Amino acid sequence: MKKQAVLTQSKLGLAIALALSGPIAYAQESDAQATSDTTIEEVVTTGTRLQGSAAAVVEERKAQAFVADILGAEQISRTGDSDAAAALRRVTGLTLVDGKFIYVRGLGERYSSTQLNGASVPSPDPTRNVIPLDMFPASIIESMSVQKSYSPDMPANFGGGNVDIRTVSIPTDQVFDVSVGTGWNTNFSDDGLSYQGGGDDWLGKDDGTRALSPEMVTALARYQETINTANIAASEGISTAEAAAINRQLAASLNTENEVYSKSLSPDIDGSVTYGNAYDIGHDLTFGFLAGVDYGNSWSNSEESELVLGIADGEAAVDQASESRVTTQNVELSSLLNFGLKLGDYHRVETSTIFLRNTSDRVEQGVVETPNSIDEEGLSYFDTDIRYEQRELLTNQIRGSHYFPQFWGFALDWQYADSRASRDAPGEVFYRQINDRDLGEGLGNLAFQQTRTATTLQYQILEDDAQDWRVDGELPLYLAEMDILLKGGGQVSKKARSSFSRRFAISAEQVANDALQNVGYNDLFSDANLTDQDFGFALFGAPTATDPNYLAAQQVEAGYGLADIQVNDDWRVSGGLRWEQYTQVAAQLDLRNMTVIGDPAEAGRVEDDVYGSLALTYQLNDEMQLRVGYGSTVVRPDLRELTEVIFVDPLTDFKVRGNSELMTTDIDNFDVRWEWYLPAGENYSVAMFYKDLANPIEAVEAKGTDSDRVITFLNGQSGEVYGLEFEFLKDLTFLSDGLFLSGNLTLSDSEISIANTGNVELTNNTRRMTGHSKYVTNLQLGYDSLNGEHSASLIYNVAGERIAFAGVKEGAVGIGDAVEQPFHSLDLVYTYYPDFSSKVKLKVQNMLGEDVEIQQNGRLIQSRSVGTGISLEYSYSF
Amino acid sequence: MNRTKAFALSALTASFMLAGCGGDINLTPTSIDNSTTNNGGGAAPDTNNCASYEDAGATVRGEKIGADCVYPRSFSTPESPVVTDIRLVELPGGAHIFPNGLYIGENVQETASVERDGPTLTIDAGATLAFEDGDSFVRIARGADIIAEGNRNAPITFTSVQEVENGVSNPNARGLWGGLVINGFGISNKCDQDDLANCVLQGEGGAGFYGGDDNADDSGILRYVLVKYAGYEVSLDNELNGITFYGVGSGTTVEYIQVHNNLDDGIEFFGGAANAKYVVLTGNDDDSLDWADGWQGNIQYIVTKHADDRANRAIEADGNSRNNGATPYSDPIIANFTSIGSLTATDGSDESEGVLLRQGTRGTLYNFVITDARGECLEIDNDATFANADAGNLTIANSVIACHENFADVATQTWYENEATNVTLDEMATVLTSGYVTAAEMTDASGAPVTVTPKTDLSSIDPFFDDVDFIGAVSEDNDWTNGWTVGLRD
C-alpha cells in the first residue's frame, strides 16, 4: 500500500458526487477509493486490472451531469501510448491528426479546446491557439477528461469537445519509481539523415550553434534589421567594398555547417524518476510533494512522396512531384514538482510546476520535379530542408479547495495559473541543388544554384504567455423531494503572444559556376569562401511585410451559474448560463522600427454573449440511465485569422491572408445517450448527437498567381454534424479467465456549404467538413492473468477517409478534394509483473506496417512510411 | 552622404498591456532607439517641391535634402497607401527617394467595392524615382492610375537608391529594389468566366489584388520609362518582375519602356489585354517577356537582349500552368520581335534560350528575329499547346531563326518550317548589325544573301499595328532605341 492518490478527481466531479451521495465524509472516502487506480492495482491483486481501472472511469463518468469520457493513467499505460495525443485517439469519436491534434466527432482542431488542470494553456504553435497535445508525455498524466457536451463552468469556446489534462497529484505515502526503456523501428537502417548540430542536442536544446551569432544580433540592431551591403554602406557612410567586407563577416558568423550525411540510427531511449511523499505535521495538517523527471530520445525515419496536381486536357495531371527521406530526432524532457497542504478533510492547497520540452530536429532530403523541370529531360532538383524546433511549456499553478460544513456545506475552489509556451526555431536551413537526372533515376551531378538564394537560413521565435484566474463556489440545498446543488463562479483568461522571424539568404549570383558543381555544403559555404571577396558570396537579409512578425492578445472574462437538481432517485436536471466577454487583437509588425503594419483595429474583436446548457438524466433503474442534453456554444476565429495582412505560415510556407469580416461560429449541440452499467465493470452505451453550426470557419485556397499558394478563411453558410456512438466493455471470462473486449464505434456524417467568392472557387461547395471521418472505431482485446503476473492488450484503431484539404477550380475545371485514407493501426502491449515492485512492458506498434496516404482524383498524392515500432520498458517501485 | 542613419536599437521588445477592466487589450510594440539620427545636410531649402498630400488636416510631404526629395516611410505603405492625386516633378540632379516603396490607391479585395476613379500618380518627364532594397516596390492599385510621360530627352527612371547615390559599378547588379506593379480590372482565365465581375486574384507576395471583367480598363500611360536594377525578393520566394501587368486593360498606353537588369522577369502580363510598343528588355535574369493566364494584348517593336552572365528565356509564354485548357487562352499578337540570346548565360539551372510557348498558349507571331542563344531558340511544350499549333491558333510567320540549337524538337521544327515565309539559318549567319539592328542585308553561314519577307500589312490585322517593311524590332532606317535606353549597345 504505497501509492494512493487522493486528490485525483476534478472538483466538479467531486462536488456533484457529494451532492448526490449525502454525507460528505463518506462520499469523499468512497471517491478516493474509486478513483485510485494504483491502489486497486496493488491491493486487489486477485481482481482484474481491467475492472480496477474501469471502475474508476465508470464511476466518474456515471456521476457526471454532462456526458464525458475519462481516460485514466492505467488505460493509457495499457494501450502503450506515449503522449496525450496518441492516448486520446482511443476515446470514442476522437481522431488523431498529424500526431498532434485531436478531432472530436470529426470537427477540426479549432473545435476542441484544451485545459491543464482546469486552466487555459498557452500554445507554442505558430499559427494556432490550441496547444499540440503531443507536448504532454503520458508520465505526467493522471487522467484526461474529454467532455463532449457543454456545461457552463467551461469556456464557451467549445465545438466538439474539451480535453482537460489532469496531472499526477500528491501521494499519501512515499512513492519512488524508476523506469528505463528502449525502442526500435523497422524503418531504422543506416540511411538515417543527420548533420553537425550542436553539443546539447541530446537535451533537446540548442547550445548556441544554430542561434543567431552575437555579431549578427548587434548588426541587426545597428542596421535596422537590413544587413544588405547597400544598407550597411549607407548607414555607416562607407564604401561599398568596405560594407561588403562587413556583410561577408556577418555571413561567416552564421552557422553554415549544414551538410547532411547518412548515419545509422541508434535505438530510442527513455527513462524516468518519480519521488514523492507525504508527512503528517500535526494539527490535522498533512504536507505532501511529488517530483518527477522524464527523458526520452527517439527517432523516426520515413520515406515520403508527394504530387501536386494541375489540369491538362481537362483532367488532373502532375505539376510537381517529389520523393524524399525524412529523419526526425525527438527529444522530450519533462519535469514536474507538486506540493500539497491538507487541513483535515475539508481544506487543501496545492501547487504544480510543470516544465515540458519537446524538440524535434527534422532533416528532409529528396528529389523534386518542379513545373519548370518536369518536362525537361535530365533535370530535377535535389532539395535539403532542415527544421529544428524547440517547443517548451512552463506552467505554475496554485489551487485551493475548501469545504465549510458549518456554513450549510458551502464549498469553494480557486485557482491561479501562469504559463509560458515558447517555440524557438533557430537555423532553419534550405538549399536546392540541380540534379542532372530525372526523378526516380537517382542522383547525378549536383550543382548549387547560382542564385540569390543559394541557401537560406531562418530564425523564428515565438512566446505565448497565459494567465488564468478562476473561482468556483458550490452550495448544496436539501429539500423534501429534491437535492439541489447551486454552483457559480468566474474566470478570467489572458493570453499574449509575440512572434518574430528573420530570414537570410546567401547569394551565389557572383560565384563562378564551376565552384558550385559537385561540392559539399560545408566546403562551399566555408568561412574561408564566405569571407573571400573574390569568391563572390553575399548575404541578404531584410524584413519583408509578410514575415511572421506579429503580436496578438486575447482575453476572456466569464461568469456563470448553474443548478444541478436531483428529483427523487429518478430525475436529474442540470442547467445553467455563462456570460463571456471576449477580446482579441493581432498586429503585424515592421521589425525595422517596431511599428504596426495595417490597421490592428480591423483585426480586433470585442464580443460578449450568453451561452448555456441544459441536461436531463433519467435513471431507468440501478444500472441504466438515459441522458438528454442541449448546449449553446461558440467557436471563435484564431489569433491570426482576422488579420488581412498576408503572412507566411512558418510551418507550410503557404501565404496566409486573414479575413477581417470573419464571423464567430455559433453552435447548437444536442446529445442523447443511453448507458448501461453492469457489475464487474461491463458496460454499454449508445449516443446520438447533432450539431448545427452557423457560419462555420474553413481554411480555403484563394486564387493567386501560380508560384503562390494563398490560404484564406471563409465562413460557410451552414454546417452540421450528426451521428451515433456505441461503446461497450464485455467480459469474456466465459471464453477464458481474464479476457475482455472493449471498444467503441462512431458512425457520423457532416455537411458544410460554402459559397464561392470572386477569390475562392471550390470544386465542391457542399461536402463533408475537412477532417471528418464517417466512421471511427477502436477495439481492444485485453487479457489479465489470474495470478496478476501478465497483462496484454491488442488494440486496433481506424478512422474512415477524411478530407485533408479541399480541391479548387482552375479555369472551370475543378480538382477533387484530397482525401486521407484510413490508417489501420494495430498495436500490441504486453506487461509482465515478476514481483510487486517491478514491471516489464513490451510494445509493438503499427504491426500491420501501414503507410499514411492521401489521394486526390484517384491518385496517390502523398505517402509516408511509418514502419513497425518495438519498445521495451522496465520500471521499478521502491 | 546626408541620409546617414546609425540606428542602434538596443533591444527589440514587444510589451503587452492587458488591462483588466472592460476587456481592453493594449498592444504596445516598443523599440528603444538610443541612437542619434544624423541628417548632415541640415537646413531645408526654401522651396520644397516634393510631392505632398493632405491627411486629416496635416500635410504629408517629402523632405528636401539637397537635390533629393526623401519621403518618410509613413508616406505610403501597402496597407496605408496614398489615396489622393500626387505629382512627382523633375528634380534636376536629384531623385524622389522612397525608402519603403510607393503605393497608390487602396488595395481593396472585393472587386465591386473598388473605387473606379482612384488617385493618379503623375510623374513629370525627366523625374527619377529611387528605392531601397528590402520590401520596397511601386504598386498602382485597381482604380488608380499612373501617368508617367517622359520623352526621348527626358525619360522617367525607376531605380535603386544605390544608383542615384553612388552609382552602380557592377554591370551585372540586379535585385537592388522591388519593381513596378500595375493592377487592373482585366480578365484572367483563372477566374470563373460566368462571374468575372466579382473575380479577384492575389498578386505574388504583397503585390495586391487584381482582376475583373474589363479588358479595356485604363491604368494610365507609361511613355519613355526605364526600370533598372529591380527584382528584389519582396516576400518569401517572390522576386518581382521589372514591370508586372496584373490584369491591365487595353485602355492603358505603354510605349517606349525599358527594363534593365531585373532579377526576375523583365515584363510579365497576367491576363488582361495591355498593349505595348517600343519595348527594350536587357540583362534580365530570368525571362525577358513573360505572359500567362489569358493575356490578349499586342506588342510591336520589342527587343530582348540577354547579359553574358545570367538569363533564361526571351519569351516564356503560358496559357494557364495549372489548367492548360482554361479559357480565354492567352492569345497575343506580337510583331517585330528581336531576341538576342547569350552564348554563355544561364539562370543557375537553365540556359539562355529563345522563345518557349507552353501550357496551352495561343498567339500570332510575325517578323521575329531569334538568334545567339546558348540553348534552344524555339520550343513548344505541352500537348495543349501543340493542339493549338495544329489547329492554327498558334502561328509564327515571316521570321528568321539563326541559332546553334534552333529547335527543341522535331515537332516544333515542323510547325515552324511548315510556314513558307519562315527562314531557318544557323549561328554562323548574319542577321543583325550593331548587335541589335536588323541587318538590311542578311547572309547565311556561307555568306550568301538571305531574304526574309516581312509581314507588311499589319494594320489590317489590328489598327494597333503599324505597317512595316522590315522584320525584327529595329530597322537601320529608324533606331527608336537611340537616346533613352541603356545596355543595348554594350
Side-chain angles (χ1 to χ4, degrees):
Chain A
M1 274 299 292
K2 290 175 193 163
K3 292 185 275 183
Q4 193 172 26
V6 276
L7 310 181
T8 52
Q9 226 176 354
S10 88
K11 308 301 168 292
L12 172 66
L14 183 60
I16 289 173
L18 295 183
L20 293 174
S21 323
I24 300 301
Y26 160 74
Q28 274 190 331
E29 248 177 55
S30 72
D31 202 75
Q33 260 175 22
T35 54
S36 174
D37 313 347
T38 44
T39 307
I40 290 161
E41 176 189 321
E42 296 277 339
V43 177
V44 196
T45 42
T46 49
T48 64
R49 275 176 204 84
L50 142 76
Q51 284 158 358
S53 67
V57 168
V58 165
E59 201 58 35
E60 180 174 353
R61 195 162 107 179
K62 207 170 163 183
Q64 293 261 12
F66 299 90
V67 177
D69 293 278
I70 316 292
L71 201 58
E74 174 75 0
Q75 174 61 18
I76 296 172
S77 165
R78 166 138 222 145
T79 50
D81 297 314
S82 61
D83 60 60
L88 282 165
R89 77 191 146 119
R90 314 294 182 189
V91 174
T92 313
L94 268 59
T95 43
L96 177 65
V97 175
D98 294 341
K100 289 180 178 175
F101 296 104
I102 286 296
Y103 283 22
V104 181
R105 289 170 166 169
L107 293 161
E109 74 265 5
R110 76 167 69 241
Y111 297 96
S112 64
S113 46
T114 302
Q115 291 179 296
L116 186 64
N117 296 322
S120 64
V121 266
S123 166
D125 187 289
T127 54
R128 296 179 185 84
N129 228 339
V130 51
I131 189 165
L133 290 161
D134 63 335
M135 286 287 292
F136 299 95
S139 62
I140 69 154
I141 300 170
E142 177 129 335
S143 69
M144 289 188 285
S145 161
V146 182
Q147 195 164 326
K148 290 189 280 190
S149 71
Y150 180 68
S151 58
D153 54 349
M154 292 179 3
N157 193 40
F158 178 100
N162 176 70
V163 178
D164 186 17
I165 298 171
R166 300 133 170 202
T167 54
V168 287
S169 53
I170 315 291
T172 50
D173 271 311
Q174 180 181 275
V175 175
F176 186 16
D177 294 338
V178 177
S179 80
V180 288
T182 184
W184 183 83
N185 187 291
T186 52
N187 277 358
F188 284 15
S189 49
D190 53 8
D191 56 1
L193 301 177
S194 191
Y195 64 105
Q196 178 77 23
D200 293 344
D201 284 4
W202 67 280
L203 279 173
K205 185 172 173 297
D206 180 50
D207 64 357
T209 301
R210 298 174 180 84
L212 280 177
S213 60
E215 298 95 302
M216 181 57 90
V217 172
T218 309
L220 289 169
R222 185 166 178 85
Y223 304 123
Q224 272 198 303
E225 298 284 327
T226 307
I227 49 76
N228 299 346
T229 298
N231 191 57
I232 294 174
S235 297
E236 302 281 8
I238 55 177
S239 72
T240 305
E242 288 169 304
I246 297 176
N247 174 274
R248 284 193 299 271
Q249 284 297 337
L250 289 173
S253 79
L254 297 173
N255 175 40
T256 49
E257 296 202 329
N258 299 310
E259 188 159 322
V260 170
Y261 52 85
S262 292
K263 74 166 208 173
S264 70
L265 300 176
S266 50
D268 300 341
I269 50 166
D270 59 76
S272 72
V273 181
T274 306
Y275 183 80
N277 210 339
Y279 308 93
D280 193 345
I281 52 176
H283 306 290
D284 222 8
L285 274 173
T286 312
F287 170 75
F289 76 96
L290 184 74
V293 181
D294 190 340
Y295 170 81
N297 182 357
S298 62
W299 299 86
S300 75
N301 189 25
S302 58
E303 280 168 11
E304 302 194 3
S305 69
E306 192 174 339
L307 301 178
V308 177
L309 299 184
I311 298 159
D313 304 325
E315 285 175 24
V318 177
D319 267 3
Q320 182 161 333
S322 63
E323 286 174 9
S324 59
R325 169 165 295 282
V326 182
T327 304
T328 307
Q329 180 182 14
N330 251 298
V331 175
E332 286 173 16
L333 183 64
S334 64
S335 55
L336 168 140
L337 182 61
N338 291 350
F339 293 105
L341 194 62
K342 202 172 144 202
L343 174 64
D345 286 328
Y346 297 154
H347 302 279
R348 59 181 176 246
V349 176
E350 285 179 70
T351 67
S352 305
T353 299
I354 299 161
F355 171 76
L356 307 175
R357 175 186 291 158
N358 186 318
T359 299
S360 89
D361 192 0
R362 181 182 189 275
V363 183
E364 176 169 11
Q365 202 165 45
V367 176
V368 183
E369 290 279 9
T370 70
N372 246 333
S373 69
I374 201 158
D375 292 321
E376 298 272 343
E377 221 156 289
L379 174 68
S380 65
Y381 300 98
F382 185 58
D383 284 359
T384 305
D385 193 356
I386 302 174
R387 289 173 181 240
Y388 177 91
E389 183 183 60
Q390 187 175 324
R391 297 179 296 164
E392 292 181 350
L393 175 68
L394 175 65
T395 177
N396 288 297
Q397 302 186 330
I398 181 163
R399 55 189 171 271
S401 181
H402 310 277
Y403 173 64
F404 304 96
Q406 63 273 40
F407 298 116
W408 317 282
F410 178 69
L412 181 76
D413 290 347
W414 53 271
Q415 171 160 285
Y416 170 68
D418 185 308
S419 316
R420 164 171 287 191
S422 64
R423 174 181 184 266
D424 190 7
E428 199 173 291
V429 181
F430 179 81
Y431 50 95
R432 166 166 283 183
Q433 290 162 277
I434 302 153
N435 177 24
D436 66 0
R437 293 189 194 170
D438 286 324
L439 178 63
E441 292 171 3
L443 296 179
N445 291 304
L446 295 179
F448 283 89
Q449 291 187 292
Q450 201 188 41
T451 61
R452 176 72 56 100
T453 52
T455 181
T456 57
L457 307 163
Q458 189 160 285
Y459 302 81
Q460 297 180 337
I461 191 149
L462 175 144
E463 280 178 4
D464 204 18
D465 289 302
Q467 290 171 301
D468 190 282
W469 295 260
R470 69 179 291 175
V471 175
D472 303 275
E474 292 159 3
L475 184 67
L477 299 174
Y478 304 101
L479 305 180
E481 291 293 301
M482 58 178 82
D483 294 348
I484 301 176
L485 179 78
L486 295 176
K487 186 172 178 186
Q491 183 170 16
V492 176
S493 304
K494 298 178 176 187
K495 275 192 199 181
R497 162 177 290 202
S498 61
S499 161
F500 298 109
S501 169
R502 295 185 176 90
R503 182 168 172 268
F504 303 97
I506 298 178
S507 163
E509 290 164 287
Q510 308 301 332
V511 176
N513 238 323
D514 290 348
L516 300 170
Q517 313 280 334
N518 294 315
V519 59
Y521 186 97
N522 290 358
D523 286 341
L524 178 61
F525 296 100
S526 66
D527 285 358
N529 284 349
L530 288 168
T531 51
D532 179 358
Q533 74 170 59
D534 297 327
F535 198 82
F537 277 131
L539 184 68
F540 283 85
T544 78
T546 59
D547 291 340
N549 296 318
Y550 68 92
L551 303 181
Q554 196 182 57
Q555 177 165 316
V556 177
E557 293 144 295
Y560 74 94
L562 66 86
D564 188 1
I565 305 165
Q566 179 86 29
V567 185
N568 298 323
D569 281 338
D570 304 334
W571 290 93
R572 180 173 174 189
V573 184
S574 303
L577 296 173
R578 183 184 183 92
W579 169 86
E580 271 194 13
Q581 172 162 290
Y582 138 87
T583 313
Q584 175 173 312
V585 67
Q588 180 82 2
L589 291 181
D590 185 344
L591 265 198
R592 256 178 288 253
N593 44 14
M594 290 300 267
T595 50
V596 171
I597 300 173
D599 179 8
E602 123 185 312
R605 273 297 152 81
V606 182
E607 285 177 2
D608 72 301
D609 208 341
V610 174
Y611 309 92
S613 74
L614 188 65
L616 209 65
T617 308
Y618 178 64
Q619 200 80 32
L620 295 161
N621 56 42
D622 278 355
E623 294 179 344
M624 284 184 208
Q625 56 187 22
L626 184 68
R627 303 168 183 269
V628 181
Y630 165 77
S632 115
T633 60
V634 66
V635 167
R636 302 176 176 125
D638 221 325
L639 285 175
R640 289 277 329 190
E641 290 176 359
L642 297 171
T643 309
E644 300 259 1
V645 181
I646 294 183
F647 93 122
V648 176
D649 183 328
L651 300 182
T652 60
D653 283 348
F654 291 161
K655 287 173 177 101
V656 179
R657 187 185 69 229
N659 174 358
S660 61
E661 291 176 11
L662 217 51
M663 291 177 283
T664 51
T665 307
D666 288 316
I667 306 177
D668 287 317
N669 309 271
F670 301 89
D671 287 278
V672 179
R673 178 142 136 169
W674 170 81
E675 296 164 356
W676 184 19
Y677 298 96
L678 289 153
E682 280 193 353
N683 63 76
Y684 303 89
S685 79
V686 181
M688 278 191 296
F689 63 91
Y690 175 83
K691 286 174 190 291
D692 183 60
L693 294 82
N695 309 312
I697 299 168
E698 285 251 321
V700 289
E701 186 177 345
K703 285 177 181 292
T705 35
D706 292 332
S707 58
D708 270 357
R709 284 212 137 160
V710 180
I711 305 297
T712 188
F713 306 93
L714 282 184
N715 282 116
Q717 277 62 50
S718 65
E720 57 177 8
V721 192
Y722 50 91
L724 280 174
E725 290 176 343
F726 305 90
E727 284 177 70
F728 68 94
L729 193 156
K730 175 74 184 137
D731 193 353
L732 300 181
T733 315
F734 62 92
L735 290 176
S736 165
D737 278 337
L739 203 62
F740 70 95
L741 185 67
S742 71
N744 55 58
L745 168 70
T746 304
L747 298 174
S748 70
D749 208 349
S750 68
E751 188 177 286
I752 185 167
S753 293
I754 307 175
N756 286 343
T757 70
N759 191 229
V760 176
E761 216 186 336
L762 295 167
T763 304
N764 301 313
N765 295 103
T766 298
R767 55 173 166 79
R768 273 160 57 211
M769 294 181 79
T770 306
H772 180 260
S773 295
K774 278 190 169 176
Y775 64 89
V776 182
T777 192
N778 283 288
L779 280 178
Q780 178 179 348
L781 183 64
Y783 170 75
D784 295 289
S785 72
L786 277 183
N787 63 12
E789 287 181 1
H790 308 278
S791 163
S793 291
L794 191 64
I795 311 117
Y796 171 72
N797 169 270
V798 68
E801 59 176 36
R802 58 190 180 212
I803 297 175
F805 56 90
V808 290
K809 278 189 179 173
E810 193 65 52
V813 184
I815 300 180
D817 299 327
V819 178
E820 183 166 350
Q821 302 302 301
F823 183 95
H824 300 271
S825 143
L826 185 66
D827 302 344
L828 176 73
V829 179
Y830 165 72
T831 314
Y832 172 55
Y833 302 86
D835 54 55
F836 270 160
S837 297
S838 39
K839 185 164 88 172
V840 179
K841 188 193 276 186
L842 173 75
K843 283 196 287 193
V844 186
Q845 290 184 305
N846 191 24
M847 290 168 73
L848 302 176
E850 290 266 290
D851 293 343
V852 175
E853 295 185 337
I854 297 180
Q855 292 190 359
Q856 192 175 27
N857 281 45
R859 305 182 75 139
L860 184 63
I861 62 157
Q862 275 183 44
S863 78
R864 177 166 58 87
S865 64
V866 176
T868 299
I870 299 167
S871 68
L872 193 65
E873 185 188 77
Y874 174 78
S875 51
Y876 189 85
S877 296
F878 293 93
Chain B
M1 192 57 233
N2 47 17
R3 291 194 318 107
T4 306
K5 50 178 183 345
F7 272 90
L9 284 137
S10 68
L12 270 180
T13 57
S15 79
F16 283 91
M17 263 276 298
L18 283 161
C21 340
D24 298 341
I25 296 181
N26 295 325
L27 211 60
T28 324
T30 59
S31 60
I32 302 156
D33 177 4
N34 52 11
S35 66
T36 51
T37 305
N38 171 15
N39 271 332
D46 299 341
T47 52
N48 182 336
N49 56 353
C50 303
S52 67
Y53 60 85
E54 301 293 318
D55 181 34
T59 303
V60 183
R61 184 188 288 274
E63 186 187 359
K64 193 79 186 183
I65 298 177
D68 296 331
C69 281
V70 180
Y71 295 85
R73 296 183 75 87
S74 56
F75 189 80
S76 72
T77 68
E79 283 71 32
S80 178
V82 176
V83 293
T84 57
D85 295 353
I86 60 166
R87 180 172 163 211
L88 302 176
V89 300
E90 183 183 8
L91 299 172
H96 296 275
I97 295 175
F98 297 94
N100 60 322
L102 179 59
Y103 308 92
I104 307 295
E106 293 279 7
N107 179 41
V108 175
Q109 179 176 351
E110 211 173 298
T111 303
S113 309
V114 179
E115 167 63 71
R116 296 264 164 171
D117 193 16
T120 299
L121 167 67
T122 304
I123 306 173
D124 289 357
T128 298
L129 286 69
F131 304 88
E132 288 187 0
D133 56 13
D135 52 345
S136 165
F137 63 104
V138 181
R139 184 187 70 202
I140 310 298
R142 288 187 295 182
D145 287 338
I146 178 170
I147 307 290
E149 284 203 78
N151 59 57
R152 182 177 293 227
N153 300 318
I156 290 165
T157 306
F158 292 75
T159 188
S160 159
V161 164
Q162 292 180 49
E163 188 186 15
V164 298
E165 288 188 346
N166 300 326
V168 172
S169 53
N170 179 356
N172 296 327
R174 297 182 182 92
L176 306 183
W177 65 285
L180 172 56
V181 172
I182 304 177
N183 294 328
F185 291 102
I187 296 167
S188 164
N189 63 19
K190 293 174 93 71
C191 292
D192 179 352
Q193 298 300 307
D194 298 327
D195 190 24
L196 285 174
N198 285 315
C199 186
V200 56
L201 300 155
Q202 177 89 52
E204 290 177 321
F209 296 110
Y210 69 97
D213 61 353
D214 184 9
N215 264 356
D217 185 28
D218 182 356
S219 295
I221 300 168
L222 298 180
R223 186 173 283 137
Y224 288 103
V225 169
L226 275 82
V227 176
K228 295 154 77 176
Y229 307 120
Y232 194 89
E233 184 189 42
V234 296
S235 76
L236 181 68
D237 296 333
N238 285 136
E239 292 157 356
L240 285 187
N241 306 308
I243 308 175
T244 312
F245 296 92
Y246 281 118
V248 174
S250 59
T252 312
T253 302
V254 181
E255 287 179 354
Y256 302 100
I257 59 164
Q258 178 174 17
V259 176
H260 179 63
N261 277 23
N262 200 80
L263 189 56
D264 198 12
D265 298 336
I267 58 175
E268 179 155 12
F269 296 91
F270 290 95
N275 303 317
K277 231 175 209 179
Y278 305 110
V279 178
V280 179
L281 306 170
T282 48
N284 297 306
D285 185 283
D286 194 3
D287 310 314
S288 301
L289 166 65
D290 196 327
W291 72 71
D293 304 343
W295 176 52
Q296 307 286 318
N298 304 317
I299 299 184
Q300 191 173 21
Y301 315 118
I302 170 168
V303 55
T304 65
K305 186 182 179 190
H306 286 166
D308 284 337
D309 63 334
R310 302 177 52 77
N312 190 4
R313 289 152 186 146
I315 295 180
E316 183 178 283
D318 290 345
N320 174 323
S321 59
R322 284 174 76 177
N323 178 0
N324 297 168
T327 56
Y329 290 92
S330 292
D331 195 6
I333 305 171
I334 299 178
N336 297 94
F337 191 113
T338 297
S339 159
I340 308 154
S342 159
L343 298 175
T344 53
T346 71
D347 73 346
S349 62
D350 215 349
E351 299 172 316
S352 161
E353 297 171 358
V355 176
L356 172 62
L357 306 161
R358 65 176 190 184
Q359 310 284 13
T361 191
R362 293 179 174 177
T364 310
L365 314 179
Y366 294 116
N367 301 344
F368 271 48
V369 177
I370 309 173
T371 188
D372 275 353
R374 170 171 158 166
E376 60 265 18
C377 268
L378 188 60
E379 178 176 7
I380 298 180
D381 209 345
N382 307 110
D383 296 345
T385 326
F386 276 111
N388 288 334
D390 292 344
N393 293 318
L394 176 64
T395 60
I396 183 168
N398 308 86
S399 296
V400 64
I401 191 165
C403 298
H404 170 67
E405 183 188 354
N406 284 327
F407 306 104
D409 51 35
V410 175
T412 304
Q413 182 172 6
T414 306
W415 168 73
Y416 177 83
E417 292 184 343
N418 275 351
E419 170 54 49
T421 56
N422 289 334
V423 175
T424 308
L425 302 173
D426 60 28
E427 77 270 32
M428 302 304 290
T430 301
V431 294
L432 299 175
T433 63
S434 313
Y436 64 96
V437 175
T438 306
E441 317 250 316
M442 293 186 186
T443 53
D444 67 10
S446 66
V450 176
T451 304
V452 185
T453 313
K455 174 81 172 173
T456 55
D457 55 341
L458 290 164
S459 63
S460 66
I461 300 166
D462 188 307
F464 166 82
F465 290 98
D466 305 327
D467 289 338
V468 293
D469 58 2
F470 61 97
I471 67 167
V474 185
S475 71
E476 289 186 358
D477 309 342
N478 174 17
D479 186 354
W480 52 267
T481 68
N482 207 0
W484 65 280
T485 62
V486 296
L488 201 52
R489 293 160 190 82
D490 300 344

